Amino acid sequence: MRRVAPLGGVTVQDHVALAEIELCGELIIAASAAEDRLSLESIDQVLRVGETRTEPGDG
């Protein structure tokens, strides 16, 4: 039996999943715009590796 979420305007937000989807989209855009394969440094830059992240409610 398959269960389906109700349609009554109920939304579920998973902020981590949404952030991952956004980063994947940015990586796909960068890869499609590149003439060659992206270097590891380019991938890190697109994925903002090493940047300080703030959690919701901080600051």
Side-chain angles (χ1 to χ4, degrees):
M1 179 175 197
R2 186 184 287 187
R3 294 183 183 203
V4 179
L7 291 177
V10 176
T11 60
V12 177
Q13 291 190 358
D14 182 339
H15 297 286
V16 173
L18 292 174
E20 289 178 358
I21 291 167
E22 181 179 336
L23 289 173
C24 286
E26 291 177 18
L27 189 56
I28 291 168
I29 291 167
S32 66
E35 292 181 15
D36 246 345
R37 288 182 155 210
L38 294 176
S39 67
L40 294 177
E41 293 80 17
S42 296
I43 293 170
D44 286 349
Q45 187 176 26
V46 170
L47 298 178
R48 297 181 227 132
V49 172
E51 283 186 16
T52 303
R53 295 187 183 109
T54 58
E55 295 296 320
D58 288 354

